[in-house]
Amino acid sequence: MTEFRPGGFQVLPIVVKNLLIINGLVFLAQVTFQQTGMFSLENLFALHDVHSVYFRPHQLVTHLFMHGSFGHIFFNMFALWMFGNVLENYWGAKRFLIFYMACGLGAGLLHLGVLYIENVPIMELFHSLSPDQQADLLYSPNFKINTATVGASGAVFGCLAAFGYLFPNSLIYLYFFIPIKAKWFVLMYAAMEFYMGVRNSAGDNVAHWAHLGGALVGFLLVLYWNKRNRRRFY
């Protein structure tokens, strides 16, 4: 496999197809409930800081199927199709599903760990407030602790890392025009995410550490599987 061009696959493997359908249906439900104002899916299913009153363990899984905008879900699902399609055809449905969910869980756990450290000063200030002031903040959407995280990006970054490891010399066509080898694309993207995560700019609402967590789990898993099976690079 020396090249990879979007559009080269005509048949969707079963796991990727169902992931696309589930993500689409969940996004439709998000938009519907948001417009009616009847119920907030984000409070229940999006990933929250462990200090938040909205945090639930199941959110480590459910946040992977939620998205913040049409652009967000479109690019995530396009990348899932583009890289996940190759991986599922290469591994089979069962292994790919295990891989995808493991990357998503790893992304969520690293994200929660970074949030825990970042929010220590906020929680110290919160505990210094009076009970009435704490009660006002506890369920407030403006309280930083209650900020929700959504998206399949962590799991998708795991797919990208695996693709770069298994097919390092395959060509990815940026903007359908500029060719770049997968290994360099993955390394540059990871370096950019690490820089942005460390920089932690004000107003940056991208979960860079979740992306890196998914990529790290994806790389470690494919490294382990590849050594066991002694597969060759393509």
Side-chain angles (χ1 to χ4, degrees):
M1 185 174 180
T2 58
E3 293 184 348
F4 179 78
R5 291 187 179 91
F9 296 92
Q10 299 300 319
V11 180
L12 285 173
I14 187 67
V15 173
V16 169
K17 179 174 69 175
N18 281 284
L19 286 172
L20 295 176
I21 292 171
I22 293 170
N23 277 273
L25 291 175
V26 171
F27 182 68
L28 180 62
Q30 284 182 257
V31 174
T32 301
F33 281 110
Q34 184 178 11
Q35 290 178 345
T36 60
M38 295 171 56
F39 182 70
S40 175
L41 290 178
E42 284 75 14
N43 287 344
L44 187 58
F45 297 116
L47 184 61
H48 292 80
D49 184 281
V50 294
H51 297 108
S52 172
V53 293
Y54 297 113
F55 172 75
R56 299 292 185 277
H58 67 256
Q59 294 169 358
L60 283 164
V61 173
T62 56
H63 85 281
L64 296 172
F65 301 95
M66 306 184 71
H67 291 85
S69 66
F70 178 78
H72 189 202
I73 188 173
F74 175 81
F75 286 109
N76 270 349
M77 295 302 98
F78 180 74
L80 170 60
W81 167 76
M82 191 163 65
F83 301 110
N85 207 353
V86 179
L87 296 176
E88 186 175 348
N89 279 293
Y90 185 68
W91 283 330
K94 181 179 179 181
R95 175 165 287 196
F96 175 72
L97 181 59
I98 292 172
F99 176 85
Y100 183 85
M101 296 307 299
C103 291
L105 288 172
L109 288 171
L110 182 59
H111 179 64
L112 288 181
V114 172
L115 279 183
Y116 188 92
I117 296 171
E118 288 182 346
N119 290 333
V120 165
I122 296 176
M123 292 309 300
E124 290 177 349
L125 179 61
F126 175 78
H127 290 304
S128 69
L129 300 175
S130 68
D132 289 340
Q133 290 174 317
Q134 289 182 4
D136 290 338
L137 280 176
L138 207 56
Y139 292 92
S140 172
N142 297 320
F143 188 28
K144 186 180 177 182
I145 301 300
N146 291 333
T147 302
T149 301
V150 295
S153 301
V156 171
F157 263 76
C159 295
L160 175 60
F163 184 89
Y165 180 89
L166 291 171
F167 310 105
N169 296 314
S170 298
L171 295 179
I172 297 173
Y173 285 79
L174 298 180
Y175 305 107
F176 302 94
F177 180 72
I178 305 172
I180 181 173
K181 287 187 176 181
K183 57 186 176 183
W184 303 125
F185 178 78
V186 172
L187 288 173
M188 287 189 295
Y189 211 154
M192 182 178 67
E193 288 292 328
F194 181 77
Y195 171 75
M196 296 300 292
V198 172
R199 186 181 179 185
N200 195 22
S201 303
D204 186 356
N205 62 350
V206 177
H208 299 289
W209 292 107
H211 296 172
L212 291 170
L216 178 61
V217 172
F219 173 75
L220 292 176
L221 263 178
V222 77
L223 180 66
Y224 173 70
W225 287 342
N226 193 69
K227 284 187 175 180
R228 281 186 59 191
N229 298 326
R230 297 187 179 183
R231 300 287 180 91
R232 294 181 178 179
F233 297 115
Y234 289 87

